[in-house]
Amino acid sequence: MVTLDFGAVLVEWPLLLRGVGMTIGLTVVAAVLGAALGVACAWARLHGRPLLRAVAGGYVELIRNTPFIVQLFFLYFGLPGLGVRLSPEVASVLAMVINLGAYAGEIVRSGLESVPRGQIEAARSLAMTDWQVFTRVVLPPALGRVWPALVSQIVIVMLGSAVCGQIATAELSYYANLIHSRNFRAFEATILATAAYLLLSIALRQTLHWLGPRWVFGRVASLGWSGGGH
């Protein structure tokens, strides 16, 4: 008979809460920077010079065809061989940004390609600059079309942060393993960590779906006014 004792794990709730906070922090930074990198990568692949297109394409293929944990280990264990040392937290968030940027680049690129050419020409006929055309006419509707896919990818990256505990980043899975090592309640610790990841995924998905049309798209469009021109 197996006796479950969740109390032995729940008594360590400050550690679990600290891990949830770190996971949320990593995800927020990675989502903002990774999405911005994805937009830049999508633009480069569609409108950049040949060399820039090749570099962006190579980056996307490299990241999308290698495991996240290998990318993480390269940054944390590989770069010191080149004289670059990163803290676990910096290596984790950098790996998440790089990973999300590659996938987001392809997602956003599909959205940019779906914008009607006539809509772009109409904007240019109003003497709008290329920056204004991109940020006010092309990017907001493109993001609107691909937002669900982009949100799903951000959630996947958040769940992938669980492997960051392998390099001693103090996120949720790291503290779940720490609690398990203290009281040997591996099953209970894993169940609670799983439940926490499930709640985080649902909350993150709902929050991003709410933020998209109410804040993100408008903020992107407002960038057009800072680019100068008409």
Side-chain angles (χ1 to χ4, degrees):
M1 296 293 293
V2 177
T3 302
L4 299 180
D5 184 9
F6 286 98
V9 178
L10 289 174
V11 74
E12 303 279 7
W13 67 266
L15 295 181
L16 292 174
L17 190 60
R18 194 180 305 170
V20 168
M22 174 61 75
T23 297
I24 292 174
L26 291 173
T27 302
V28 169
V29 175
V32 174
L33 298 182
L37 179 59
V39 171
C41 186
W43 180 90
R45 298 199 71 183
L46 290 176
H47 305 292
R49 295 181 181 276
L51 178 59
L52 185 58
R53 292 184 187 182
V55 170
Y59 156 67
V60 168
E61 292 303 315
L62 174 64
I63 299 303
R64 294 180 70 200
N65 291 286
T66 54
F68 173 71
I69 193 169
V70 173
Q71 300 161 17
L72 177 66
F73 282 2
F74 174 78
L75 292 174
Y76 188 69
F77 296 114
L79 288 184
L82 302 176
V84 180
R85 297 186 179 276
L86 304 176
S87 68
E89 294 77 17
V90 172
S92 296
V93 76
L94 185 58
M96 292 170 67
V97 168
I98 292 173
N99 186 272
L100 177 59
Y103 286 92
E106 289 299 278
I107 293 172
V108 174
R109 183 165 72 99
S110 67
L112 296 178
E113 290 176 332
S114 70
V115 178
R117 186 67 184 178
Q119 188 172 327
I120 300 174
E121 294 299 330
R124 287 175 175 166
S125 70
L126 297 175
M128 297 178 71
T129 65
D130 289 341
W131 171 257
Q132 288 175 332
V133 170
F134 181 72
T135 57
R136 295 188 63 82
V137 177
V138 177
L139 189 55
L143 285 178
R145 291 184 177 94
V146 302
W147 190 249
L150 188 57
V151 168
S152 294
Q153 191 59 46
I154 292 173
V155 172
I156 290 173
V157 169
M158 185 273 290
L159 295 175
S161 69
V163 304
C164 295
Q166 299 298 314
I167 62 170
T169 301
E171 42 74 56
L172 179 57
S173 68
Y174 172 87
Y175 280 116
N177 289 329
L178 178 62
I179 293 171
H180 157 224
S181 68
R182 289 181 174 180
N183 56 29
F184 303 104
R185 290 291 176 177
F187 185 78
E188 292 91 331
T190 303
I191 288 294
L192 290 177
T194 300
Y197 277 116
L198 176 61
L199 293 176
L200 283 173
S201 298
I202 294 173
L204 178 60
R205 192 181 304 275
Q206 295 297 325
T207 300
L208 290 177
H209 279 308
W210 183 86
L211 279 178
R214 291 171 176 80
W215 188 77
V216 176
F217 305 154
R219 292 290 296 177
V220 169
S222 67
L223 292 175
W225 294 118
S226 63
H230 181 70

